[in-house]
């Protein structure tokens, strides 16, 4: 048996196709486009890339997106002052501060900055007010990546209600909101982490298994109930040739991609899981594309919500 591959690129494209008319409707009503402010501190190359594709995608979806930059030497007070200005701006409905922040800003900088974002503009869904609303099943803005996982399941016809769901990972960005979103959709949810005893055994109970731990190829076939839907959130850059050669046969596309770039971005799920799972998101092309699509969806939703409350 070979799992059905769930095409995140096509699903993200469909969502973006729905966001555009919604953004245009807002523009007609409000007399301005929905506005997204992206904040980038420093010039980490991966962050530059992410922010660049967010700006481009927003523009294509009828959203005004502007980049606000601070130098890597900026301190947390300067960043908080910028967030305060964006909170008070009437042209921005969404604010996204790209993480990670430079280490020099201090270990609690991210939390302080995310907490300072106006919850009505919190398109990342990470503000404690929005997380609290998510706990109570009435969030308007929820974290983008786990919201994207729900879209993949829904649009692939994978039922959630009544199913056993296991989430590996309990981060504030992925694992916890993922578990809450599944719970709110009436799954019976177990959350696993680094202290979980008999992780493969717990995972084998899952009809829906979400892997969000950030360890390449960690989830092997013995974690997976035959026929389960396996959602691979992980993205780890692997440069170890021996490791890659153990996973992919000579002549495979993935090995060729490694040869070309000297590295591969890998998911948490081992390639052999494809023979056991009923459905599987690939990496790349699975969950990844949904994150930006959900950011755009959240931005337009925040814009409409703010207009209604004005
Ligand atoms: P994180 O903050 O590092 O959290 C990892 C979680 O996995 C923690 O809860 C940790 O447990 C758990 N874990 C680590 N090793 C484990 C093990 N051996 N057994 C069981 N649990 C283990 O990472 P994150 O921010 O949630 O991201 C997770 C992965 O998703 C990363 O690869 C990240 O790059 C990827 N990601 C992808 C997207 C996307 O758009 N596709 C978006 C966000 C994140 P403890 O809590 O006990 O330490």
């Amino acid at each position: 048996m070979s799992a059905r591959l769930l095409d995140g690129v096509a699903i993200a494209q469909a969502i973006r196709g729905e966001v555009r008319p919604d953004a245009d409707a807002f523009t007609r009503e409000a007399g301005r486009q929905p506005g997204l402010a992206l904040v980038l501190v420093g010039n980490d190359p991966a962050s530059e890339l992410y922010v660049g594709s967010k700006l481009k995608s927003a523009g294509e979806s009828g959203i005004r997106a502007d980049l606000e930059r601070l130098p890597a030497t900026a301190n947390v007070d300067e960043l908080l002052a910028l967030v305060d200005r964006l909170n008070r701006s009437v042209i921005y409905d969404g604010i996204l501060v790209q993480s990670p922040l430079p280490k020099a800003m201090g270990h609690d900088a991210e939390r302080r900055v995310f907490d300072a974002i106006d919850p009505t503009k919190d398109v990342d869904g990470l503000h404690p007010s929005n997380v609290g609303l998510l706990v109570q099943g009435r969030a308007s803005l929820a974290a983008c990546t786990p919201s994207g996982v729900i879209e993949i399941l829904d649009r692939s016809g994978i039922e959630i209600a009544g199913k056993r769901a296991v989430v590996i990972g309990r981060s504030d960005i992925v694992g916890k909101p993922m578990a809450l979103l599944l719970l709110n959709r009436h799954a019976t949810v177990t959350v696993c982490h680094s202290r979980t005893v008999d992780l493969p055994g717990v995972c084998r109970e899952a009809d829906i298994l979400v892997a969000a731990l950030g360890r390449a190829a960690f989830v092997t076939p013995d974690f997976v109930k035959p026929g389960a839907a396996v959602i691979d959130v992980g993205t780890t850059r692997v440069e170890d040739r021996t490791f890659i050669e153990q996973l992919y046969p000579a002549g495979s596309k993935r090995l060729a991609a490694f040869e070309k770039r000297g590295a591969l971005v890998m998911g948490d799920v081992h390639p052999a899981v494809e023979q056991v799972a009923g459905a599987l998101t690939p990496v790349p092309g699975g969950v990844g594309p949904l994150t930006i699509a959900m950011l755009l969806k959240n931005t337009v939703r925040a814009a409409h919500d703010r207009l209604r409350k004005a």
Side-chain angles (χ1 to χ4, degrees):
M1 188 177 83
S2 196
R4 170 163 68 115
L5 288 185
L6 307 177
D7 184 352
V9 175
I11 294 171
Q13 212 167 1
I15 292 170
R16 283 158 63 163
E18 293 159 14
V19 166
R20 176 87 219 202
D22 209 9
D24 292 346
F26 174 88
T27 305
R28 282 194 299 276
E29 203 181 329
R32 65 168 180 87
Q33 288 185 306
L36 173 64
L38 294 161
V39 179
L40 181 59
V41 186
N43 36 29
D44 170 64
S47 295
E48 295 268 4
L49 222 78
Y50 290 140
V51 164
S53 60
K54 285 170 185 172
L55 282 169
K56 183 167 172 279
S57 309
E60 288 164 1
S61 296
I63 294 170
R64 169 189 174 153
D66 296 319
L67 177 58
E68 295 274 356
R69 300 190 79 119
L70 285 178
T73 51
N75 62 37
V76 75
D77 290 330
E78 287 169 280
L79 180 52
L80 287 169
L82 171 58
V83 167
D84 181 53
R85 173 164 68 74
L86 298 172
N87 279 344
R88 283 186 283 110
S89 161
V90 290
I91 58 171
Y92 296 120
D93 305 287
I95 301 169
L96 184 142
V97 178
Q98 185 65 43
S99 72
L101 293 174
K103 285 205 165 57
M105 276 198 161
H107 72 279
D108 62 346
E110 249 168 48
R111 170 139 294 171
R112 285 178 67 194
V113 170
F114 291 160
D115 284 3
I117 293 173
D118 177 343
T120 68
K121 298 189 177 188
D122 170 37
V123 284
D124 248 348
L126 300 176
H127 191 281
S129 303
N130 288 322
V131 176
L133 291 169
L134 180 62
V135 170
Q136 295 184 347
R138 56 192 181 108
S140 181
L141 298 172
C144 296
T145 303
S147 300
V149 171
I150 297 290
E151 293 279 359
I152 291 179
L153 293 170
D154 280 345
R155 291 172 191 247
S156 306
I158 295 167
E159 199 164 329
I160 302 173
K163 299 295 177 192
R164 293 292 303 261
V166 173
V167 180
I168 318 176
R170 57 174 164 179
S171 71
D172 292 341
I173 293 182
V174 186
K176 283 181 199 156
M178 186 73 256
L180 288 163
L181 286 165
L182 289 163
L183 180 64
N184 292 343
R185 292 290 302 275
H186 315 295
T188 300
V189 183
T190 304
V191 184
C192 298
H193 44 79
S194 62
R195 307 280 187 95
T196 297
V197 175
D198 186 20
L199 185 63
V202 178
C203 292
R204 266 198 311 276
E205 292 180 8
D207 303 305
I208 298 169
L209 177 61
V210 182
L213 65 161
R215 306 234 161 168
F218 184 90
V219 175
T220 43
D222 57 318
F223 283 61
V224 180
K225 174 158 106 180
V230 179
I231 305 293
D232 191 353
V233 181
T235 50
T236 305
R237 192 182 147 85
V238 179
E239 293 178 6
D240 180 344
R241 171 180 291 275
T242 316
F243 184 67
I244 298 287
E245 282 175 348
Q246 277 165 9
L247 294 174
Y248 300 105
S252 69
K253 269 191 189 165
R254 292 288 274 157
L255 201 56
F258 176 79
E259 298 295 355
K260 200 168 156 198
R261 296 186 207 109
L264 261 194
V265 173
M266 290 202 52
D268 290 341
V269 176
H270 192 285
V273 166
E274 200 179 328
Q275 302 310 316
V276 185
L280 177 64
T281 59
V283 175
V287 174
L290 269 296
T291 301
I292 291 186
M294 297 313 289
L295 170 69
L296 305 177
K297 191 167 171 167
N298 275 354
T299 301
V300 177
R301 179 174 293 165
H304 281 293
D305 285 353
R306 285 164 42 74
L307 190 63
R308 267 195 295 276
K309 284 181 197 148

